[in-house]
């Protein structure tokens, strides 16, 4: 073509005939290609024919086959925390096998319940649950009027109806059985329990370890995570910094724990320092109006039982709510004289009496328990309430305790406005 867009023409440049084909093939025109695209090709072969040198390609394996040997702890942790897709098989194929093992030794989803049984339970619970609670209230009133002094089941045993109650949020998860529905149901429950445990740790709760750190524990029953499995609950807990703990033979619960390190430093005065000024956190606190104390002593006979009854039914964010608020409106028989007179000598005698009482209790408990491991010195811990040193001050209580060998417990942050936590080696 004369316009230079074809292969015609005798001049070079664009539009000139292409260079000589080393394999003698005709030009790649459409009509030639349709006739015989591989004409005069010395290596002529079907491009889609089987490669004579091809071998079956085995499936890729990111890791070599595992050998029966111990797996390092770091590698096991990485395998346990690796990203997973637990719901792919449930969405596009067969559901996960109930009770199948998961990384870390935690079981998978439990067998599903019958859908008809779940629906019947959900409908009938609105009838039998109120009747059950009413029966418990009447039984409690009868036992109270009959002056019953025998033993009985704990509060969880009295209120077992809560275990058989299916809330509407769990109904969808029970009927569908899909792990994502169970995860949406159990995630807020787990978050609330973890938040409550961390608040309890901040208030001074927890099991003290040898490194002075404290361990908090949380448990969930099987009815909360049936379709997700313990492995799924552990995966959710790891987002909050918690880890799973082996439950042993208890397959109806999943156990979680978290280790909180000891405080880096204790911002507290030394017993040898000058006395703290009144009104400061470590100094003496204002006492209540003395003529009002006898009325407080009489009215607390009614106030304390009512407060205890309310706290049995109301869940509060602070586990030490009584120490922070309830004790502010009561006065103990031992502290009545010290607070009524507000005498430094009376406060000192009261503090020494409380320390001696706690030491006697520790000696009695040590006499009932077997001996400790040779070469170790057990540490005993006590807690002095604010009412014990209100008029004397936390610093004065610390100075009196130091005379008897007590020091501030390094496992807790000092909180002189509410309590003092002390420790000392084994008592003589």
């Amino acid at each position: 073509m004369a316009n230079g867009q074809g292969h015609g023409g005798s001049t070079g440049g664009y539009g000139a005939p292409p260079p000589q084909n080393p394999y003698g093939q005709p030009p790649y025109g459409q009509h030639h290609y349709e006739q015989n695209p591989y004409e005069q090709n010395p290596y002529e072969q079907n491009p889609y024919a089987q490669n004579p040198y091809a071998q079956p390609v085995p499936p890729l394996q990111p890791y070599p086959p595992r050998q029966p040997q111990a797996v390092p702890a770091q590698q096991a942790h990485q395998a346990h925390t690796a990203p997973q897709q637990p719901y792919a098989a449930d969405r596009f194929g067969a559901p996960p096998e109930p009770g199948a093992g998961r990384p870390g030794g935690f079981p998978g989803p439990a067998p599903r319940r019958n859908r008809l049984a779940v629906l019947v339970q959900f409908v009938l619970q609105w009838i039998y649950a109120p009747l059950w609670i009413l029966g418990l209230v009447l039984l409690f009133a009868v036992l109270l009027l009959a002056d019953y002094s025998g033993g009985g089941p704990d509060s969880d045993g009295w209120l077992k109806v809560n275990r058989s109650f299916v809330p509407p949020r769990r109904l969808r998860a029970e009927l569908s059985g899909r792990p994502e529905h169970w995860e949406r149901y159990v995630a807020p429950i787990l978050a609330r329990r973890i938040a409550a445990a961390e608040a309890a740790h901040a208030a001074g709760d927890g099991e003290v370890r040898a490194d002075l750190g404290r361990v908090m524990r949380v448990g969930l029953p099987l009815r909360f995570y049936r379709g997700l499995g313990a492995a799924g609950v552990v995966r959710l807990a790891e987002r909050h910094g918690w880890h799973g703990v082996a439950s042993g033979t208890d397959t109806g619960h999943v156990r979680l724990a978290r280790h909180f390190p000891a405080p880096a430093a204790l911002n507290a005065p030394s017993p040898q320092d000058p006395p703290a000024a009144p009104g400061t956190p470590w100094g003496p606190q204002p006492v209540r109006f003395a003529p009002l104390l006898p009325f407080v002593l009489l009215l607390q006979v009614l106030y304390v039982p009512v407060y205890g009854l309310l706290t049995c039914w109301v869940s509060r964010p602070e586990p030490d709510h009584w120490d922070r608020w309830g004790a502010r409106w009561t006065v103990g028989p031992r502290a009545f004289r010290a607070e009524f007179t507000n005498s430094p000598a009376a406060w000192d005698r009261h503090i020494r009496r409380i320390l001696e009482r706690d030491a006697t209790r520790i000696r009695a408990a040590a006499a009932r328990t077997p001996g400790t491991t040779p070469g170790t010195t057990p540490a005993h811990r006590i807690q002095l309430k604010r009412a014990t040193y209100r008029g004397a001050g936390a610093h004065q209580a610390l100075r009196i305790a130091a005379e008897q060998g007590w020091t501030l417990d390094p496992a807790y942050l000092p909180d002189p406005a509410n309590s003092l936590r002390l420790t000392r080696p084994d008592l003589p």
Side-chain angles (χ1 to χ4, degrees), residues 5-378:
Q5 296 182 3
H7 295 291
S10 57
T11 60
Y14 189 78
Q20 183 66 29
N21 190 343
Y23 301 107
Q25 287 186 192
Y28 287 92
Q30 182 66 23
H31 60 285
H32 293 286
Y33 184 82
E34 291 177 354
Q35 294 177 2
N36 188 5
Y38 296 97
E39 184 180 359
Q40 298 180 3
N41 189 347
Y43 303 99
E44 180 179 359
Q45 57 181 351
N46 188 352
Y48 303 101
Q50 180 67 28
N51 189 346
Y53 302 101
Q55 298 294 334
V57 180
L60 296 178
Q61 297 183 359
Y63 302 100
R66 299 182 60 181
Q67 300 295 333
Q69 59 183 1
V71 181
Q74 182 178 3
Q75 181 179 353
H77 177 72
Q78 294 176 356
H80 178 58
T81 58
Q84 304 177 11
Q85 297 180 357
Y87 309 139
D90 183 67
R91 290 177 178 176
F92 304 106
E97 181 181 356
R102 294 295 186 271
F106 298 100
R112 291 180 56 185
R113 298 179 57 195
N114 184 271
R115 295 184 179 181
L116 180 60
V118 173
L119 287 175
V120 172
Q121 177 183 353
F122 180 78
V123 174
L124 295 181
Q125 69 185 1
W126 305 101
I127 302 176
Y128 71 76
L131 296 178
W132 181 275
I133 297 177
L134 179 61
L136 292 178
V137 173
L138 295 177
L139 181 59
F140 179 77
V142 170
L143 295 179
L144 186 62
L145 294 176
D147 195 16
Y148 178 74
S149 59
D154 55 8
S155 60
D156 191 48
W158 285 95
L159 298 176
K160 276 188 176 180
V161 64
N162 64 342
R163 297 185 179 182
S164 60
F165 193 84
V166 179
R169 293 179 302 168
R170 198 172 80 206
L171 179 63
R172 181 184 180 186
E174 291 276 10
L175 295 179
S176 65
R178 299 178 68 86
E180 57 266 30
H181 294 165
W182 279 98
E183 180 174 341
R184 282 195 292 267
Y185 167 70
V186 73
I189 299 177
L190 180 63
R192 287 195 300 267
R193 297 205 175 188
I194 287 179
E198 293 177 351
H201 169 266
D205 198 4
E207 177 187 352
V208 181
R209 292 299 183 89
D211 60 351
L212 301 180
R214 284 178 287 154
V215 176
M216 298 298 300
R217 303 182 186 277
V218 170
L220 285 179
L222 180 62
R223 65 179 183 273
F224 288 159
Y225 62 92
R226 178 182 301 275
L228 186 61
V233 176
V234 172
R235 174 174 54 84
L236 294 177
E238 288 176 349
R239 302 175 184 175
H240 300 273
W242 291 62
H243 63 274
V245 180
S247 301
T249 58
D250 185 8
T251 58
H253 290 79
V254 58
R255 310 291 181 182
L256 306 172
R258 181 177 179 181
H259 180 271
F260 292 87
L266 301 181
N267 186 15
S270 173
Q272 292 77 23
D273 292 344
T280 59
W282 289 92
Q285 302 297 322
V287 297
R288 289 169 288 189
F289 186 53
L292 186 62
L293 291 179
F295 297 97
V296 173
L297 185 62
L298 295 177
L299 293 177
Q300 71 186 12
V301 177
L302 299 176
Y303 165 73
V304 173
V306 172
Y307 183 89
L309 182 62
L310 292 178
T311 53
C312 291
W313 298 94
V314 179
S315 177
R316 300 187 178 275
E318 296 103 350
D320 59 343
H321 196 76
W322 171 258
D323 298 334
R324 293 178 178 269
W325 302 104
R328 299 177 186 270
W329 302 99
T330 59
V331 55
R334 296 185 179 92
F336 178 80
R337 181 179 180 180
E339 190 169 0
F340 186 79
T341 61
N342 198 22
S343 171
W347 281 110
D348 292 352
R349 285 194 301 268
H350 178 57
I351 294 173
R352 288 189 172 89
R353 185 166 55 247
I354 296 299
L355 290 174
E356 183 61 29
R357 182 200 64 182
D358 293 342
T360 302
R361 176 177 52 82
I362 291 175
R363 292 190 187 97
R368 295 191 301 266
T369 57
T372 58
T373 306
T376 61
T377 302

